[in-house]
Amino acid sequence: MTTPLALSDETRTLLGRFADTLDAQRPNAEMHNEIRLARCLVLAEQLHGPSEAAFAAEQDLLAAAPPVRHSQTRGEYAALLRLIAQGVSA
């Protein structure tokens, strides 16, 4: 998946919430891609309930949140999500 060219305000908000969760809960622990997948679903459904809007929000969030790199911590991934939400790209 690739990062969308233009992130919606909703996707930026969800990226921030995702990052906040990772920083608040075991930021020094290793991040796993399964956590990425699960959190995207949970955050989208918390916002929209189980609906088509939640599915769309989840897909946008998954597209914006890159796959997890080997040995990356939750805190490092949170920092990356914040940079993406701010529009910083490598």
Side-chain angles (χ1 to χ4, degrees):
M1 289 182 209
T2 60
T3 303
L5 294 176
L7 298 176
S8 69
D9 288 340
E10 180 177 282
T11 301
R12 290 178 195 278
T13 297
L14 291 175
L15 285 168
R17 289 181 188 174
F18 191 174
D20 290 346
T21 300
L22 295 174
D23 276 338
Q25 300 171 356
R26 302 177 321 130
N28 295 319
E30 188 172 348
M31 179 65 180
H32 299 282
N33 202 53
E34 293 82 3
I35 294 168
R36 172 184 163 266
L37 297 172
R39 291 304 306 161
C40 288
L41 171 63
V42 168
L43 289 166
E45 287 198 350
Q46 284 176 340
L47 185 62
H48 293 289
S51 63
E52 288 299 317
F55 177 77
E58 176 193 13
Q59 295 305 302
D60 288 347
L61 187 53
L62 285 169
V68 177
R69 292 178 299 189
H70 180 69
S71 298
Q72 191 170 33
T73 68
R74 292 165 59 98
E76 291 167 343
Y77 193 75
L80 177 61
L81 294 178
R82 287 194 176 91
L83 289 173
I84 291 168
Q86 294 170 3
V88 176
S89 61

